[in-house]
Amino acid sequence: GATYILLARAIESGEGYTSTWVPGHPPHVRYPPGYPVLLAWVECVAGRGLQTVRLVSVASTLLALAAAYALFRVLLGRNGAVGCTAILLAAPTLWRYASAPLSEAATQALVVASLALGEAWTTRRGRGAPLLGIGLVLAALAFAFRVAGVALLGAWVLAAAWPREATDRRRRFA
């Protein structure tokens, strides 16, 4: 987590996305810049400190839970969404990262929100260009936070290229 905080501080100070702890301050190449940029922005607004960084992770976790509920609601209906969200709330791994100064919580919020929008878009038989646009932006942001997010971009391309027949997915689980 310290690397993200140091990168955020470098961005805040105007040094750019540089490894300030390395002599000569070379450009940083190990982690994508999304999370440090978010931290820099939040610290500019809310003040510097580990509590502020933890707050970003807690807020991201709550957003991810809300997005998961929305996704489950589209797929399973209200009762299924409540049940699945309750299972998520009981997951120890979720809470392990909920306040850690790491990019996992923010990335998970972006990925799940993107998936929820994608599922809503496909159930509308491809109508709803705003859902598609916002979902793609969230997928791109997920990639900017963690390189593994590139798979989500690929999934969006496939979903747009080969739209499947939109049926009521809840019937699959009835």
Side-chain angles (χ1 to χ4, degrees):
T3 302
Y4 291 122
I5 294 169
L6 291 171
L7 288 167
R9 302 275 164 81
I11 293 166
E12 282 179 68
S13 69
E15 293 183 60
Y17 195 61
T18 59
S19 301
T20 56
W21 59 95
V22 176
H25 302 220
H28 188 76
V29 295
R30 184 166 183 195
Y31 300 114
Y35 189 63
V37 168
L38 175 64
L39 290 181
W41 180 79
V42 171
E43 284 190 328
C44 283
V45 171
R48 279 188 174 184
L50 187 56
Q51 291 306 89
T52 303
V53 174
R54 288 179 188 257
L55 181 65
V56 170
S57 290
V58 169
S60 296
T61 299
L62 295 175
L63 288 171
L65 285 167
Y69 175 82
L71 176 61
F72 294 143
R73 178 122 186 191
V74 170
L75 292 171
L76 307 171
R78 185 185 174 283
N79 291 338
V82 169
C84 287
T85 305
I87 291 169
L88 280 178
L89 286 167
T93 305
L94 177 77
W95 299 113
R96 161 63 183 90
Y97 291 102
S99 65
L102 300 170
S103 64
E104 278 81 354
T107 304
Q108 134 186 309
L110 292 166
V111 167
V112 176
S114 179
L115 291 173
L117 289 168
E119 194 61 34
W121 178 69
T122 58
T123 57
R124 293 180 182 194
R125 293 183 173 84
R127 292 187 314 261
L131 295 176
L132 173 64
I134 296 168
L136 284 169
V137 168
L138 294 178
L141 285 172
F143 176 62
F145 277 59
R146 306 264 315 168
V147 175
V150 73
L152 188 58
L153 286 170
W156 269 100
V157 168
L158 291 174
W162 289 288
R164 58 188 173 190
E165 182 181 327
T167 60
D168 186 356
R169 286 167 186 71
R170 286 181 246 168
R171 281 187 267 161
R172 282 194 234 158
F173 301 102

